[in-house]
Amino acid sequence: MKKYLLLLAITGFFACEKGMQDYRNAKPVSEVGVSTYDFLKAQGTLYDTLLRIIDNVHLTEVLKNDKVTFFIPQDNSIETAMRNVNFARIRLGDPGNWTIDSVPLNVWDSLLRRYILAGIVDADSLRYADGADLVSLYQHGMNGKMSRTNASGAVGGGTEVVEFSDRNDSRFIKDWSTALTQNVDIKTKNGLMHILESRHIFGFTSFVGKAYPKSLEAIQGPYLGYPLEIPGIVNAADFDEGPVNVAYSYSKDGNHSYRPDNPGTESCSEGDNQVSPGGGYNVGWTKDGNWLRYTVDIKEAGNYKVELRIAGNGGGIIYLMVDDVVVSNEIPIQGTGGWQTWQGAFGTAVLPEGKHLMKVVIKKANLNLHRVIFTKIN
């Protein structure tokens, strides 16, 4: 994984004999002596993809000369967005071989400009209860808000970050998609930079739909395009595609870190990419009676151990259904001490062989769900 560290320099970026200096291991500073564009260029290979897009959509001179604030997406954010669009293509029967050059330039242009604001927007200007409404270079509505992270279990005891949100043309916060900063208030010759976290997905929730409009067509079926195998891991965020009360029943919308439809998904501290990209995300904002549907392929009928990876305040109950028949005991959920503090809750299920529709029913909520792990009992 790339580590995006900032360069420590106020004046020059060139050594007389050695050429470009390597600042990737230097400490972050609040001011650099070059333009925003040249700062990115000086980072070696760390922003190659971003710079290529900037050049292709003719934003080079803007980032060299105009007074702008740039919320900088890292290359990893762009790579994740490309993986998502290729997954969408595979699900719909198209080759999953797109590169950044396959995406229309107008898509890169319109979405990249959402990260660029005219003038100087520093962190102190965003210290309002509801943040500050901002306007991108194409007059798209954004929002910036200072907030303090949690640390060692202390709410608000961590570092301050900027919540940079795409308002998605809605005045309701529940409809917004939010990215967090990794570093803020880095002054350049022509503007200001805020570096976004690498786990942010480029384009917020708009990239796949704009790059590949076919993905917006209503479909029903397994999210990854194929049934999830049991025994194995069913990632909660990989619930089926389809409308409410068919693919899911959810009473509250949340964030959309992994996929743009309901229910809300967020990056999971326990996350990894095991089995699918959904392994790095969990489903949250649960309410009593919510359920999620998964298309599964059960390799062998029989008794299974069920491990739910959960986090939350406790008091929850989950059970499983296959083809609308209850197949498990009611599994009680204990408190874990935090919404990203994960542990297992265990039960058993009797499963039939073959392809079926499985529901994870949240009888009592107050929990986040990461994944369900099925192990055959001999």
Side-chain angles (χ1 to χ4, degrees):
M1 179 177 182
K2 297 178 179 177
K3 294 184 179 179
Y4 294 79
L5 300 179
L6 309 181
L7 48 96
L8 178 60
I10 294 180
T11 54
F13 280 80
F14 298 92
C16 296
E17 297 181 358
K18 296 183 179 180
M20 184 67 69
Q21 298 181 36
D22 185 352
Y23 294 96
R24 285 173 287 179
N25 297 317
K27 295 180 180 179
V29 294
S30 59
E31 186 170 355
V32 295
V34 296
S35 70
T36 300
Y37 181 88
D38 290 330
F39 169 86
L40 296 174
K41 198 77 172 178
Q43 302 307 300
T45 61
L46 297 180
Y47 291 103
D48 278 357
T49 304
L50 176 62
L51 285 166
R52 182 175 174 182
I53 296 169
I54 289 171
D55 292 340
N56 287 345
V57 300
H58 307 296
L59 281 171
T60 305
E61 294 305 314
V62 171
L63 295 175
K64 280 188 174 182
N65 302 311
D66 293 1
K67 183 176 288 188
V68 293
T69 297
F70 191 12
F71 284 84
I72 299 174
Q74 300 187 23
D75 274 11
N76 188 65
S77 300
I78 300 170
E79 292 163 6
T80 302
M82 287 304 307
R83 285 197 297 270
N84 286 349
V85 78
N86 277 319
F87 274 117
R89 289 177 56 79
I90 292 170
R91 290 199 313 273
L92 296 176
D94 292 325
N97 58 357
W98 270 20
T99 67
I100 64 170
D101 294 326
S102 307
V103 177
L105 285 180
N106 68 309
V107 173
W108 289 120
D109 183 47
S110 64
L111 292 180
L112 186 57
R113 287 175 184 260
R114 295 187 185 184
Y115 297 85
I116 305 174
L117 312 173
I120 302 300
V121 181
D122 60 20
D124 281 341
S125 68
L126 306 176
R127 295 182 183 278
Y128 299 97
D130 296 324
D133 288 339
L134 308 170
V135 179
S136 73
L137 289 190
Y138 273 160
Q139 304 302 303
H140 184 78
M142 308 294 289
N143 184 275
K145 178 183 177 181
M146 285 296 296
S147 67
R148 187 172 288 277
T149 59
N150 301 332
S152 301
V155 177
T159 58
E160 287 190 309
V161 298
V162 174
E163 297 179 2
F164 186 55
S165 300
D166 184 344
R167 295 171 59 194
N168 292 317
D169 299 319
S170 173
R171 63 188 180 89
F172 300 107
I173 294 177
K174 71 179 183 66
D175 297 326
W176 298 2
S177 178
T178 299
L180 302 180
T181 56
Q182 176 176 299
N183 299 89
V184 299
D185 286 353
I186 305 164
K187 185 179 180 182
T188 67
K189 274 189 173 181
N190 64 304
L192 198 67
M193 300 183 297
H194 306 294
I195 311 294
L196 296 177
E197 289 185 331
S198 61
R199 64 180 177 178
H200 165 65
I201 300 175
F202 179 84
F204 297 89
T205 59
S206 299
F207 182 76
V208 174
K210 287 184 175 293
Y212 183 53
K214 185 178 177 181
S215 66
L216 299 177
E217 299 173 6
I219 60 174
Q220 298 180 28
Y223 181 65
L224 300 178
Y226 51 82
L228 304 176
E229 291 189 358
I230 296 175
I233 297 172
V234 173
N235 290 313
D238 290 333
F239 56 90
D240 281 0
E241 289 190 294
V244 64
N245 295 324
V246 174
Y248 61 87
S249 178
Y250 235 70
S251 55
K252 181 176 174 58
D253 185 14
N255 291 340
H256 300 295
S257 298
Y258 174 50
R259 50 191 290 184
D261 50 356
N262 295 334
T265 56
E266 62 181 342
S267 295
C268 180
S269 63
E270 189 181 50
D272 56 41
N273 286 337
Q274 186 176 2
V275 179
S276 81
Y281 301 87
N282 65 263
V283 171
W285 299 275
T286 57
K287 297 292 184 181
D288 293 357
N290 291 164
W291 54 261
L292 302 164
R293 187 190 76 176
Y294 303 85
T295 301
V296 297
D297 185 3
I298 304 168
K299 297 303 182 182
E300 183 180 357
N303 297 319
Y304 285 80
K305 182 178 78 171
V306 179
E307 179 183 0
L308 307 170
R309 298 302 298 176
I310 50 87
N313 293 336
I317 296 175
I318 288 178
Y319 64 90
L320 307 179
M321 303 180 73
V322 171
D323 301 333
D324 292 323
V325 176
V326 176
V327 295
S328 79
N329 60 316
E330 293 189 347
I331 304 172
I333 308 300
Q334 304 298 318
T336 68
W339 293 106
Q340 287 295 320
T341 303
W342 298 92
Q343 67 182 33
F346 297 90
T348 58
V350 180
L351 303 180
E353 183 180 355
K355 295 180 181 179
H356 299 275
L357 297 179
M358 182 183 73
K359 287 182 180 178
V360 176
V361 182
I362 304 170
K363 182 176 181 179
K364 290 189 178 298
N366 209 21
L367 58 91
N368 286 346
L369 178 62
H370 180 204
R371 53 179 38 147
V372 186
I373 303 171
F374 292 91
T375 305
K376 183 73 167 59
I377 300 174
N378 294 327

